[in-house]
Amino acid sequence: MKDYHISKHNSFYTIGLNYKKADAEIRGKFSLVEASIDNLLMQAKAQGIDGLLVTSTCNRTELYGFAQHPFQLIKLLCDNTLGTVEEFQEVAYVYKNNDAISHLFRVGTGLDSQILGDFEIISQLRQSFNRSKKFNIANPFLERLCNSVIQASKRIKNDTEISSGATSVAFASVQYIFKTIPDISDKNILLFGTGKIGRNTCENLIKHTKNSQITLINRTKDKAQRIAGKFDLVVKDYGDLQTEIRNSDVLIVATGAQSPTISKEMIHTKKPLLILDLSIPKNVAFDVTDLPNVSLVHLDQLSQITDDNLERRKQFIPEAEAIIEHIKDEFIQWLETRKFAPVIKALKKKLKTMKDEELNFQSKKLTDFNSVQADIVSERIIQKITKQFANHLKGDDIDADNSLALIQKVFQLELETK
């Protein structure tokens, strides 16, 4: 399939990094908080970029947008994160035009997720589009593309079993806790922070154990109280953190800081303590493992835990890919029509002007001229001619930009400007 882009000078790119090649530390360097995303979009707008989406999750950071060269997007990312261009190049990927479109479909439909069939990304994609729209940097191409990806995601979720069975990082966390900690129902569990995976892990623990000894601490206490009420947790003050760690058997860290929130100095425990760090970047200092009785597991290790459900999901990948291809083809057809429409419309208008002039001339010249029949025949010929041009422009081996320029030149077309 040929590459598609909207203008002669800009191509559509995806640039980014994800869990496949970038470890948690590198992903942490390139993660974007909301304020950074806002700043990045404003910078892009000032540079004349007219379409850009930004997503940053614990597993990936990606930019999808129009540029003369992908380095424009790479520089925007590096300018707004702690990562360098050299670090990015070590682990990154760059996709252009059709490949960039295909990648976004795979990401949005859970085929590129760390846990196959995880549809968490689709809500983040929606948020990304709404943010770009707010900054007036979401063009019709991006809007149609996002809607197509959302449509594919819904179809795959409803028509295949790729997301069947309980398997997620939160579920893997609970499985790990069960395997590692005997008599979990009698143990003290502390959740520090209100990150989504941490909350889901606690919800799963409550579901699968009879444990009523789960405590939540967050820097912002009112946020902790709102979440605690939903999950039936006890809330303690941030100042009680060290005391609560000392009393805990399991510490789940779900904070969203750019540097560690749990250090070696904060832990004074005399009994075994399992720490699950579910944060990106890592929020537990690695040297806590120097302490006797302390074991540390990070999100990336938990993501590698596969179960029967995950293996079962793989058999539905071809079904999901077929749905993506169908909806992607519809998007490409829309894109073609959008690209060629102004020229075909102008061509049709020019041919109709020629027809009207000729019919007018013949009606004055011939006494028995049937203008109604001549008009019908002429219209049909115009339809066939414009269809031939449209089919030519859609050809896989055609340089569409040169063909469009030639048609405009030959027929001296004036395109309507918005």
Side-chain angles (χ1 to χ4, degrees), residues 327-344:
I327 293 173
K328 196 177 82 173
D329 284 349
E330 287 179 348
F331 173 76
I332 296 295
Q333 282 172 17
W334 169 83
L335 194 54
E336 285 177 344
T337 307
R338 179 182 168 79
K339 185 176 180 179
F340 307 147
V343 171
I344 297 298

Side-chain angles (χ1 to χ4, degrees), residues 302-322:
L302 293 164
S303 299
Q304 287 160 14
I305 296 173
T306 57
D307 57 14
D308 294 339
N309 284 331
L310 209 63
E311 285 304 310
R312 185 176 173 275
R313 287 180 175 197
K314 289 179 183 174
Q315 72 189 66
F316 301 105
I317 291 174
E319 276 182 57
E321 287 175 335

